Amino acid sequence: MYTSDKSTLILIALLKQYGIKNIVVSPGTRNSGFSYSVQQDKFFKVYSVVDERSAGYFATGLAYELNEPVVITCTGATASRNYLSALTEAYNRGLPVIAVTGDHETANKYTLTPQYVDRSVSQNDVKTVSVFLPKVIDEQSQSQCELLCNVALSSALSKRGGPVHINLATLDWKFTEKTLPKVHKINSYDTDDLYNSEMAEGLAKLLRSKKVGLFIGAHKKMTAKQLEAISSFVKAVNAAVFTDQTSNYQGPNQILIGQALDVSHIKSMPDILIDMGSICGQYSIAPLFKKSTVWRISEDGVIKQRHGTLNSFFDCMEETFFREIGKHVQNIPAAGYYQEVCRELKPVNMNILPLSNVFVSGILSEKLPPNSNLHLSILNSLRSMNLFPLDKTINGSCNVGGFGIDGPLSTLVGQSVADKKRLYFAVVGDLAFFYDMNILGNRHVDKNIRILLLNNGLGVEFRMNAFLQTFPAEEVNRFVAAAGHNGSAKGWAESMGFRYISAASKADFLAQVDDFCSPDISKFDAPVLFEVFVKPEDDVFAYKHTTAPQKKTPGVIKAVSCLIPNKELRRKFRSKHSR
């Protein structure tokens, strides 16, 4: 019989899935559920070593001789401290020792719980990965537990080797389970597997007649060889390449995520989705992942999962994956997925949009000059520009790594000094602008910088939040959305030597946008700040109209107008947008 603790059951089941059978047990209470369960299962070969110091070294010797992972397990208190010397040895020799430490599920450093030690921080050279398994109480925590176990066990089995740590916080005296649960194992591949012609051909056959999608999150600028390998693969399998303005993909079959998921609400999802790149700032991407078999390419060798369940993980260079798999897909019939998605796409109806971030982004997308750079601040500015295609020579970027409000202008200035002969544009909201405006006085700021500031007088993102919309607009505006905080940037920009222009209507904006987007760096004798004043309710209307199906427009108008505190202004807004 196995323990009834679900976290422990998942770990044991995945150890079996990965073929890890050697376990060195040191006696204790906190690891008793794990120890008793594995001794009942004939798959495992269990050893007993009382002293944890000896157990750790015992495991290093066994792992060295067998060239396969060995599990060590101990209880709470100082037991795990005694593993440190052996784990240091394993780290420096690349030996796959898996330390499973028992722990208190309710204790922390602020409780006076006997035998508790804080394992949240440990030395860098005693593990390659350290995971803390959650208590499994629902589907979400089960998925998280499975992912963390997969991360640790895959790392132990990788060619890099080295020890890993799994913290298991449980104390369960019930042994009621006759079988282990069904668990999801992530299939792992590396560069050697891809160079194996038989293995690469087998992977390619999995794509036969399938709808293949490629998802690219935030990405560094691609090399010519990298782009060539991806483009050749994409054309061979007729894949749809889902990107946003930070993906830096300039090849064929590109589909903007915002246009596909926010505007068009496509129903056709890929059978297999190949995932690459870093964080994506588009919050609507979940359906792509939850309805697909997901393959993830990671050049840093770390398993990461966006949504749904990761099925296969490729620890290799992106160019290598597409080149080697691409050799075997030339004769595989494609499903025509790219054309299928294109048939569902709908453009943004610019004619009905008020002056707003979405409207401004739509105009800029057509007028930004080729070979320029565009930096977007997070959330509304990024999301709005993600609805529109840009010239393929324009490099887009956004600080989605930390995904914070700070730093868009400073990042832009840092980018601009790399090439003084190139134009660097930014689209930024007012909260982010005023947060980072000190950089405008930096002596490296030059006339190749052009900033478009969308000033709606508050953090409009909080007015687009479905939960916060249940509260009166004036209550949300006071502190959550920080309304009425700064006014205009005119005085600051001009005192810092910027050329300042502004617009408060669509006509004003359209009259000046061509000059602002001029490809001639000498068009202005100073850096430019273009401040566009928009109403928050117009921003919300534009966002809701583009993300809701067209037939729901009247409902959108009503929902947005409810955010306007003043009754007369609310009536005028409804009248204006209902025509």
Side-chain angles (χ1 to χ4, degrees):
M1 302 292 279
Y2 298 99
T3 176
S4 60
D5 179 72
K6 294 180 180 179
S7 302
T8 306
L9 291 173
I10 288 171
L11 173 58
I12 294 172
L14 280 168
L15 285 171
K16 293 185 73 172
Q17 290 266 4
Y18 278 92
I20 299 170
K21 60 181 62 179
N22 292 288
I23 300 177
V24 183
V25 174
S26 295
T29 301
R30 289 287 160 184
N31 62 330
S32 60
F34 177 83
S35 302
Y36 185 84
S37 297
V38 296
Q39 78 179 38
Q40 305 298 315
D41 193 321
K42 293 182 179 179
F43 171 83
F44 297 104
K45 189 168 185 180
V46 185
Y47 302 87
S48 176
V49 180
V50 175
D51 188 325
E52 288 85 7
R53 293 172 301 175
S54 296
Y57 280 109
F58 181 100
T60 63
L62 188 58
Y64 172 74
E65 287 297 325
L66 297 177
N67 194 30
E68 60 184 64
V70 176
V71 176
I72 53 177
T73 181
C74 70
T75 187
T78 57
S80 62
R81 298 288 199 258
N82 293 318
Y83 281 158
L84 292 177
S85 295
L87 291 178
T88 304
E89 179 72 16
Y91 182 91
N92 285 292
R93 291 172 59 195
L95 298 173
V97 176
I98 301 169
V100 178
T101 56
D103 203 356
H104 295 253
E105 65 181 47
T106 60
N108 57 61
K109 60 184 179 181
Y110 303 108
T111 61
L112 296 174
T113 304
Q115 298 192 21
Y116 168 76
V117 294
D118 185 359
R119 297 187 183 126
S120 60
V121 177
S122 62
Q123 293 89 335
N124 291 330
D125 58 352
V126 298
K127 85 286 182 189
T128 58
V129 170
S130 178
V131 299
F132 285 60
L133 302 187
K135 182 176 179 60
V136 175
I137 56 174
D138 54 22
E139 185 177 340
Q140 182 178 356
S141 55
Q142 177 176 334
S143 176
Q144 183 185 12
C145 185
E146 288 184 3
L147 174 61
L148 293 173
C149 287
N150 272 293
V151 168
L153 300 182
S154 293
S155 181
L157 282 163
S158 71
K159 287 185 171 60
R160 295 180 180 90
V164 300
H165 170 227
I166 299 174
N167 199 61
L168 184 60
T170 179
L171 181 58
D172 192 284
W173 298 107
K174 297 176 183 178
F175 295 89
T176 59
E177 301 300 313
K178 295 181 180 180
T179 59
L180 293 171
K182 290 183 179 180
V183 290
H184 174 69
K185 175 180 178 288
I186 297 174
N187 302 310
S188 295
Y189 304 90
D190 60 18
T191 302
D192 289 345
D193 293 324
L194 296 176
Y195 283 136
N196 181 319
S197 182
E198 185 176 343
M199 179 78 76
E201 185 176 2
L203 289 166
K205 284 182 178 179
L206 295 175
L207 304 175
R208 181 180 296 276
S209 300
K210 293 287 175 49
K211 295 188 291 187
V212 179
L214 173 58
F215 183 94
I216 309 178
H219 200 284
K220 297 177 182 177
K221 296 177 182 179
M222 294 186 181
T223 66
K225 287 185 177 180
Q226 193 175 26
L227 182 59
E228 181 184 357
I230 297 172
S231 299
S232 177
F233 173 89
V234 164
K235 288 186 283 189
V237 300
N238 213 352
V241 186
F242 295 97
T243 65
D244 75 354
Q245 306 299 2
T246 69
S247 299
N248 279 301
Y249 174 73
Q250 298 170 347
N253 294 16
Q254 185 175 9
I255 301 288
L256 278 173
I257 303 164
Q259 188 180 16
L261 299 176
D262 290 345
V263 178
S264 306
H265 305 279
I266 62 169
K267 292 181 171 57
S268 179
M269 296 295 163
D271 298 318
I272 295 177
L273 182 64
I274 301 169
D275 176 34
M276 57 187 277
S278 183
I279 294 169
C280 176
Q282 198 75 21
Y283 285 1
S284 57
I285 64 175
L288 281 174
F289 289 82
K290 290 185 176 180
K291 298 181 180 180
S292 309
T293 296
V294 182
W295 296 5
R296 166 78 181 167
I297 309 169
S298 182
E299 295 189 340
D300 62 6
V302 179
I303 290 178
K304 292 179 182 177
Q305 180 173 289
R306 294 189 198 271
H307 297 276
T309 302
L310 180 63
N311 298 89
S312 297
F313 171 72
F314 295 86
D315 178 5
C316 63
M317 302 299 289
E318 293 164 353
E319 180 187 338
T320 302
F321 174 91
F322 291 106
R323 184 183 64 241
E324 296 306 316
I325 300 294
K327 291 177 181 177
H328 302 278
V329 298
Q330 303 302 326
N331 298 320
I332 293 179
Y337 181 52
Y338 171 65
Q339 288 78 8
E340 186 175 319
V341 174
C342 285
R343 286 193 290 270
E344 290 194 62
L345 295 181
K346 303 180 184 71
V348 174
N349 186 352
M350 294 286 289
N351 294 327
I352 68 165
L353 296 181
L355 183 64
S356 58
N357 204 323
V358 176
F359 178 82
V360 167
S361 296
I363 300 300
L364 285 180
S365 69
E366 297 179 351
K367 295 184 177 293
L368 287 173
N371 297 307
S372 59
N373 282 266
L374 174 64
H375 188 85
L376 301 161
S377 61
I378 63 165
L379 296 178
N380 198 32
S381 296
L382 173 63
R383 180 177 52 226
S384 297
M385 191 60 77
N386 280 344
L387 302 176
F388 304 98
L390 295 173
D391 185 273
K392 288 190 175 184
T393 63
I394 296 175
N395 291 121
S397 62
C398 176
N399 290 343
V400 294
F403 217 79
I405 190 175
D406 44 335
L409 299 178
S410 297
T411 302
L412 173 75
V413 174
Q415 290 179 289
S416 71
V417 299
D419 187 351
K420 292 288 187 178
K421 296 181 180 179
R422 198 172 196 180
L423 282 170
Y424 288 81
F425 291 85
V427 178
V428 58
D430 47 322
L431 289 189
F433 177 91
F434 290 113
Y435 199 102
D436 195 27
M437 68 181 185
N438 284 341
I439 193 64
L440 269 61
N442 186 276
R443 63 191 175 94
H444 297 293
V445 173
D446 211 336
K447 63 182 180 180
N448 65 333
I449 289 177
R450 296 179 190 173
I451 300 168
L452 193 145
L453 163 60
L454 283 146
N455 193 341
N456 50 40
L458 48 70
V460 77
E461 189 67 25
F462 306 107
R463 298 281 295 272
M464 299 175 181
N465 182 289
F467 173 75
L468 290 174
Q469 284 179 24
T470 63
F471 296 94
E474 58 269 24
E475 293 299 314
V476 175
N477 286 354
R478 287 179 65 201
F479 293 107
V480 177
H485 49 282
N486 285 303
S488 172
K490 183 176 187 294
W492 177 254
E494 290 181 337
S495 68
M496 292 297 105
F498 272 69
R499 171 74 178 274
Y500 177 85
I501 55 178
S502 66
S505 68
K506 290 169 72 170
D508 288 345
F509 173 73
L510 293 172
Q512 300 177 86
V513 68
D514 284 334
D515 285 345
F516 177 75
C517 292
S518 170
D520 182 8
I521 291 183
S522 300
K523 176 72 177 180
F524 300 96
D525 58 2
V528 179
L529 176 66
F530 190 1
E531 187 168 19
V532 180
F533 296 93
V534 300
K535 297 175 182 177
E537 56 268 23
D538 287 342
D539 253 345
V540 177
F541 172 82
Y543 163 70
K544 284 187 169 293
H545 183 81
T546 54
T547 58
Q550 297 287 327
K551 63 182 180 181
K552 294 184 180 179
T553 297
V556 168
I557 295 171
K558 183 177 180 181
V560 174
S561 66
C562 289
L563 299 175
I564 304 174
N566 184 279
K567 184 177 181 180
E568 180 60 22
L569 292 176
R570 184 162 60 243
R571 185 191 64 77
K572 290 181 179 179
F573 179 85
R574 288 182 180 178
S575 175
K576 172 184 175 183
H577 292 293
S578 296
R579 295 193 202 106

